Amino acid sequence: MGESTVAMGIDNDAGAAPNAPPQQLMERLKDYGQEHVFALWDELSPQERHLLLNDIQSLDLSRIDRIIRCSLRSHGLSVAAIEPVPESCVSSVEERTMEERERWWKMGLKAISEGKLAVLLLSGGQGTRLGSSDPKGCFNIGLPSGKSLFQLQAERILCVQRLATHAMNEGSAGSVAINWYIMTSPFTDDATRKFFESHKYFGLEADQVTFFQQGTIPCISKDGRYIMDTPYKVAKAPDGNGGVYSALKSSRLLEDMASRGIKYVDCYGVDNALVRVADPTFLGYFIDKGVAAAAKVVRKAYPQEKVGVFVRRGKGGPLTVVEYSELDQSLASAVNQQTGRLRFCWSNVCLHMFTLDFLNQVANGLEKDSMFVCCMIDAFPLFTPFVELKTNPIVKCLLFPANYPFNLKDIILYINFC
């Protein structure tokens, strides 16, 4: 039988699967070292071949390759590559006067009462390490009340709304609503929506809660090759907190925020039971400093603590985050002889404040490939029908772009406990 002629496109209506993988697609995969995805092609049924082709063609191969290469080469940064964050760039709220804190509190409540703040929750992950496939926010964390993380955070938003309404209204009958944008993933979206619906949004109005999905990225082996979930499907996982920029852009939620008059975005990760959601003092401080981004930080407890730290890349360079997996042990253990603290001690605990302009700038830069996100390789237990239970690498895009020109006027760190 003569060899069939194949093209890049798939005519699903025709019903006949190609006898061999499309030549152009195979060549592209070879360019990125991923041609093994067709290793079991001859054993697949026509329907399974179609599924595999559709799965591969849905991937942005060049973008994924850049992310994987960035991740694989990011480990063991040299001493010359990073510097500690200057003390002048870090502010402790506890060291400020009561007058300053009161001023920031009132400034933050005023902005909230004017509808200028939105809350952005990063909640795409499952409780894989806890042995559950449920969204992390659904967990009962063992409090006497039995409240989930989602409920704790929703009730804190309600509390701030009441405070802002009280501060705004002196005899008037208005009320304040804080818009809550919740980033899920294809693995958690449906369960998250149903959880909120079944709990009547924990007292919030349904129209002030917006769900949107982050993207996914292939799981990889230690040498950067895609792992297969089945012989006709690539194993995928959420693309990390750094996926929030493209997710906000593609879902047009940055435009939605602008249409609502939002200027500032309080961004945090779901797995934080102590988070002060929509913290008026932090917001007031942020507005007062006039910066593009701010981060609450916690002092790193010990050198081996598995938490990323803020650093300056290069001598006098911009601020960014280096993950624990990237930091050489000699750097992680280095002590500042003047302060007695670790030289690299300011932990990134995913508590941020951004201007809407900043989010737009990064999202547009990523879309044009003039900016790229920092990446890390994490480990996770992978169990699929096609892969035995074991630990495999997963690529995660991090929240801070690797080449965003942060300088000391753009971002400031704020010490607080949560």
Side-chain angles (χ1 to χ4, degrees):
M1 181 180 292
E3 187 175 9
S4 300
T5 302
V6 296
M8 283 289 287
I10 303 173
D11 184 0
N12 289 321
D13 294 331
N19 292 330
Q23 184 67 29
Q24 287 178 277
L25 182 57
M26 178 62 85
E27 291 301 321
R28 289 191 65 211
L29 287 166
K30 285 182 179 179
D31 289 342
Y32 301 118
Q34 306 294 352
E35 66 274 15
H36 66 283
V37 299
F38 288 132
L40 298 178
W41 177 268
D42 291 341
E43 300 177 20
L44 300 181
S45 68
Q47 182 181 12
E48 289 170 339
R49 290 179 179 182
H50 276 310
L51 290 172
L52 177 58
L53 289 174
N54 287 332
D55 192 37
I56 298 302
Q57 291 183 327
S58 71
L59 301 175
D60 187 338
L61 296 175
S62 60
R63 172 180 173 269
I64 294 169
D65 182 68
R66 288 196 303 273
I67 292 172
I68 291 173
R69 286 188 286 107
C70 166
S71 303
L72 291 173
R73 67 169 180 259
S74 66
H75 298 273
L77 292 173
S78 67
V79 175
I82 59 174
E83 290 186 342
V85 174
E87 292 293 321
S88 60
C89 197
V90 185
S91 177
S92 174
V93 67
E94 301 302 328
E95 296 174 358
R96 298 307 184 110
T97 66
M98 285 300 299
E99 288 77 12
E100 283 181 301
R101 282 184 267 176
E102 181 72 13
R103 181 168 61 86
W104 290 335
W105 172 265
K106 291 180 178 178
M107 190 179 296
L109 282 180
K110 182 175 185 294
I112 292 169
S113 70
E114 294 170 347
K116 294 180 180 179
L117 178 72
V119 172
L120 174 58
L121 170 58
L122 307 177
S123 183
Q126 298 165 288
T128 308
R129 289 189 176 93
L130 301 174
S132 171
S133 60
D134 292 333
K136 292 179 184 178
C138 299
F139 287 175
N140 175 341
I141 61 173
L143 295 176
S145 64
K147 293 178 180 178
S148 66
L149 289 167
F150 282 143
Q151 182 172 354
L152 291 172
Q153 294 161 16
E155 289 178 353
R156 287 168 189 165
I157 291 175
L158 285 166
C159 179
V160 175
Q161 288 182 171
R162 289 192 294 269
L163 290 168
T165 299
H166 179 74
M168 175 186 72
N169 294 331
E170 295 181 357
S172 61
S175 62
V176 173
I178 298 173
N179 289 287
W180 196 10
Y181 296 85
I182 299 177
M183 185 175 78
T184 65
S185 71
F187 310 99
T188 64
D189 187 74
D190 186 58
T192 300
R193 291 173 187 264
K194 288 179 178 177
F195 193 76
F196 271 77
E197 290 170 3
S198 66
H199 289 83
K200 301 185 186 303
Y201 295 86
F202 307 103
L204 295 167
E205 297 296 329
D207 61 2
Q208 73 182 99
V209 181
T210 302
F211 302 97
F212 66 104
Q213 292 188 43
Q214 68 184 111
T216 59
I217 195 166
C219 304
I220 62 169
S221 62
K222 291 181 179 179
D223 58 358
R225 289 156 63 88
Y226 297 169
I227 292 173
M228 301 302 290
D229 187 7
T230 70
Y232 50 88
K233 183 181 179 183
V234 176
K236 303 181 187 72
D239 58 5
N241 289 342
V244 70
Y245 301 109
S246 56
L248 286 171
K249 177 79 173 178
S250 62
S251 58
R252 304 181 72 89
L253 289 180
L254 294 174
E255 296 174 19
D256 179 75
M257 291 179 185
S259 70
R260 296 173 186 261
I262 292 166
K263 304 291 184 185
Y264 314 108
V265 178
D266 180 20
C267 176
Y268 70 98
V270 68
D271 45 0
N272 187 338
L274 300 177
V275 59
R276 296 177 184 173
V277 186
D279 180 356
T281 304
F282 186 31
L283 175 59
Y285 171 84
F286 177 74
I287 295 171
D288 191 40
K289 295 300 178 183
V291 293
K296 287 186 180 181
V297 294
V298 176
R299 191 172 288 117
K300 191 174 180 180
Y302 52 92
Q304 293 77 33
E305 186 177 13
K306 292 186 176 182
V307 62
V309 292
F310 281 91
V311 303
R312 295 181 74 174
R313 285 195 180 264
K315 189 172 182 61
L319 265 65
T320 188
V321 173
V322 170
E323 285 301 310
Y324 62 86
S325 57
E326 298 179 82
L327 197 61
D328 183 89
Q329 279 304 305
S330 63
L331 293 178
S333 303
V335 174
N336 183 323
Q337 298 302 320
Q338 292 182 331
T339 64
R341 295 194 297 259
L342 294 172
R343 292 185 69 223
F344 300 95
C345 66
W346 302 120
S347 299
N348 172 33
V349 289
C350 196
L351 298 171
H352 307 293
M353 192 75 71
F354 300 124
T355 62
L356 184 58
D357 287 343
F358 168 87
L359 294 177
N360 271 300
Q361 184 178 353
V362 175
N364 291 333
L366 291 170
E367 187 177 57
K368 298 174 183 176
D369 282 341
S370 62
M371 197 175 292
F372 55 91
V373 293
C374 301
C375 305
M376 69 170 287
I377 293 182
D378 199 358
F380 77 114
L382 178 67
F383 181 64
T384 75
F386 192 54
V387 180
E388 295 180 359
L389 179 62
K390 54 187 177 180
T391 299
N392 282 287
I394 177 174
V395 176
K396 291 183 177 180
C397 302
L398 305 177
L399 198 55
F400 283 84
N403 61 337
Y404 181 81
F406 285 124
N407 58 50
L408 299 186
K409 295 180 181 179
D410 289 324
I411 180 169
I412 194 158
L413 307 185
Y414 174 97
I415 305 172
N416 212 330
F417 293 109
C418 54

